[in-house]
Each structure stands twice: as C-alpha cells, then as structure tokens.
Amino acid sequence: MPKFLHTADWQMGRAFTRFETEDGAALVEARFEAIETLARLANEHHCDAVLVAGDVFDAQTVSDRTIRRVFNATKGFVGPWVMIPGNHDAALAESVWTRAQRLGAVPENVHFALQPGVINLEAQGLSILCAPLTQRHTYGDLTEPFSGYETPEGFPRIGLAHGSVQGLLPDEIDSTNPIAPNRAEASRLDYLALGDWHGTKQIDERTWYSGTPEPERFRNNEAGNALIVDVSEPGATPTVTQLPTGRYQWHQWRETLAVQSDLEQLLERLNTLPESAVVDLRLEGSVTLAGEETLLKALSVAEARFRSLRCERSGLQLAPTDEDIAALKADGYVGEVVESLRERQEGVQDDTARDALAILAGLLREREQEAGQ
C-alpha cells in the first residue's frame, strides 16, 4: 500500500523585511524547521516518499548557504524526495537547481525532475509523472502529456505539477500556468499533487493543493499543512489526511471601534491568540482617552507575548468624554488646548490633533501620578 507525503511552496530564501529584524529572522528560521517537520512526519507515518510540488526556493538568486541548509534539513527522512521546479524556481538552463548540483549539496535520495517525464520509484512501487516549469510563466497545460506517459503495471500513477487549476481558484493565484480541472481523470492519475496555491485545498477526490508548510502571508487560506496520501491500489480512491506543520499563525484584523464593548471584545480576542501569533491590526473609529490608555497597555503586553504585532491606529480618532477631561484636571490654558484639539477632530480625521491630544493626555496623567506619590 504506497503512502507518501505531499508538500509544496516552501519558498526558501524568502525575506521578511517588513518585520522587525528579530521577527523576520525567526520567520525565516521557521521555514527551515518546517522541512525538518516534514521529514519527521514522513517517518512517523511510514511514508514511502515525499513529493514537493514546486517553489522549493523563492528565487533563483538565493544564497549558497540557503541551498545547503535546505538539503541538510531533508536528511531526517532517508526515503526518496521528488522535487519539481515551480514558477519561482523554474528549471532554466542555469538555475538554482543546477547550482545546487554543482555545490554537491543534493543528497542521493533527493530527485530533481528538471524535465517533463516519469520517475519510477521501483522499491516503493510508485510512478511520479512530473510537469516541471522550465520558465516562470507558461500558457499551455504542462500536465497534458501525462495522458501519454506509460507506467509499470501495478504502480499507482501520481501526478506532480505546479500551476492554477482552471476556473477553480481565486484570481490572485501566483502564476498563469494552467492545469485542466479534469486532469486526474483524463490522464488516469490515482492522485495529482499540486503546488502554487499556498493554502490546503481539495479540487476533487484525487486532486489536492497541499499549501505551504509554514504560513508566510496574511491570508485565511488554510496554510501551514502537509498531506499524507494513501493509495491502496491503482484505481482506488486515495485517502488524504491533512496534518498541521506550521509554527506561526498569521492573523490580519480590520476593526472599527465605536463603543466600549468593541474595545473589550477586541482585547478578549487578542488574549485568546497563542504566543506563536503574527498579527497585523488596523483600527478605525473612535476611542475615549480612558479606552486609549487601556488599548496601549494591552498592545504593549501583546507585543511582548506574540511573535509579531503591528498595529495601525492612524484611523482611530480620540473622542474624550467629559469624564476623561475631568480626570485630566486640565484647567486654564491647558484645558482650552485640550478642548481645541478635541474640536479639531470632530467631523474630520486630523492625525496631528489626535497625536497631540494623546501626548498631552499622557503628560497630564504622568503629572497627576507624580503629584500623588
């Protein structure tokens, strides 16, 4: 009963420059750890092979060190790894793949499919029909030749490709490389292992996208998984098991605050997130001065707890209540300034007035605290 692990879209060498240096480095390291996790899962589930459906590397120009580290990370599983190039690491005449070979970095059990064709894994009883990308974009279906490929009798036919299943994926799919939606049936495939869509997605009972094993974008698309595929015999419907592999969870929230309960619910949601969270938060609406103080304290705690937290608050207006103003004990000229800044915010988003009011309120609170000591 052949069994294999299906993965794709490792994007090794990807940089996370929009994050703080420490966070970006941790996100990069997690991608190497994901490969080690794949090797461990392949062993734990007694897999015969690991199939990687393209975009192992994020670009042709990744460093030699990255190349060596990628293949070092595969050593935990000594069975065959079969890898095809995707649109990010296409099999050009001179490519990251040929450089890896020149470096002597590729273990003997790792097989590159740099040309279309069939890789027969004799010991495992599997035929891998490969459709590597030899350029970044193609406009014909590279899996069409699968129908003409002959395979040994009794070997399950497993397709390995990278591209967009026509008419079934969102418009933001990375590449233009088309794949017929009925490819598995038309080419007598027992399973079609796909890459390019970074989330786990079933197309039909024999066709799946595994998604990337470690999330790297703020998309709710079921990223961070690998698939264990059981094929009991040629022609049988495969059993596909989804396993989590991702270390970090990415969350992108767009919240509008209007009343106190909105803020309370937001902070409750933040508290439920694990330490592995990568959070991109954008706030709009309005908040009282007391609410702003509560929010800033909560964000400070969350920044230290999560892997990364970025919060955009420029669209969040300060709306001091009479109680807020009274608590500041701002009288005389200072009281007039507070009221003026308050009025400048009404009816129009004035970032300068908002920031000035927040700073002044903070200074007044500090003065009050010092006076009480």
Side-chain angles (χ1 to χ4, degrees), residues 17 62-63 65 74 159 164 177 219 230 284 302 310 352 354:
T17 54
V62 299
S63 69
R65 181 172 185 267
T74 67
S164 173
N177 309 296
R219 287 184 182 173
D230 275 288
E284 297 179 345
R310 296 187 303 166
T352 302
R354 179 199 181 286

Side-chain angles (χ1 to χ4, degrees), residues 16 24-34 65 69 247-248:
F16 296 91
L27 296 174
V28 168
E29 198 63 28
R31 307 196 73 74
F32 288 101
E33 293 173 0
R65 181 172 185 267
R69 288 195 67 192
R247 177 174 180 180
Y248 295 115

Side-chain angles (χ1 to χ4, degrees), residues 290-301:
E292 170 89 340
E293 184 177 15
T294 300
L295 173 64
L296 292 179
K297 288 181 179 179
L299 290 177
S300 178
V301 171

Side-chain angles (χ1 to χ4, degrees), residues 20-244:
E20 296 292 333
T21 301
E22 177 185 352
D23 296 330
L27 296 174
V28 168
E29 198 63 28
R31 307 196 73 74
F32 288 101
E33 293 173 0
I35 303 175
E36 296 172 350
T37 297
L38 295 171
R40 175 178 56 80
L41 290 174
N43 285 321
E44 290 178 357
H45 291 267
H46 307 288
C47 290
D48 296 296
V50 175
L51 308 185
V52 190
D55 280 359
V56 170
F57 299 97
D58 190 55
Q60 304 284 5
T61 55
V62 299
S63 69
D64 289 355
R65 181 172 185 267
T66 293
I67 293 173
R68 292 185 186 279
R69 288 195 67 192
V70 165
F71 294 109
N72 285 343
T74 67
K75 292 180 178 179
F77 177 68
V78 299
W81 298 69
V82 180
M83 302 180 177
I84 64 168
N87 57 305
H88 281 258
D89 53 10
L92 309 175
E94 174 61 30
S95 70
V96 63
W97 303 97
T98 57
R99 186 149 51 96
Q101 291 171 327
R102 281 201 308 274
L103 289 171
V106 187
E108 292 184 359
N109 61 318
V110 176
H111 306 277
F112 295 169
L114 303 185
Q115 296 294 330
V118 180
I119 294 178
N120 289 313
L121 301 177
E122 299 288 346
Q124 292 75 25
L126 280 170
S127 290
I128 315 301
L129 290 66
C130 302
L133 289 178
T134 56
Q135 57 189 37
R136 186 172 178 85
H137 298 297
T138 61
Y139 299 95
D141 185 353
L142 297 183
T143 65
E144 188 172 356
F146 286 178
S147 298
Y149 289 168
E150 296 296 329
T151 54
E153 185 176 353
F155 280 32
R157 292 165 58 88
I158 310 302
L160 189 60
H162 189 90
S164 173
V165 175
Q166 296 293 278
L168 296 179
L169 292 180
D171 293 338
E172 63 265 28
I173 187 74
D174 275 355
S175 71
T176 56
N177 309 296
I179 296 173
N182 66 337
R183 176 53 56 211
E185 178 184 5
S187 296
R188 310 180 315 281
L189 301 179
D190 294 288
Y191 183 82
L192 177 54
L194 295 177
D196 201 21
W197 179 245
H198 285 206
T200 304
K201 187 175 182 64
Q202 181 180 11
I203 301 301
D204 58 39
E205 63 183 8
R206 298 181 184 276
T207 306
W208 286 73
Y209 285 92
S210 65
T212 180
E214 180 64 36
E216 88 295 4
R217 301 177 183 177
F218 291 108
R219 287 184 182 173
N220 184 20
N221 63 353
E222 292 294 319
N225 299 298
L227 301 177
I228 302 293
V229 183
D230 275 288
V231 183
S232 60
E233 60 182 359
T237 301
T239 300
V240 182
T241 304
Q242 179 177 317
L243 298 177

Side-chain angles (χ1 to χ4, degrees), residues 5 58 91 129 160 208 234 279 289 306 318 347 355:
L5 185 148
D58 190 55
L129 290 66
L160 189 60
W208 286 73
V279 183
L289 286 180
F306 297 155
L318 281 180
D355 293 342

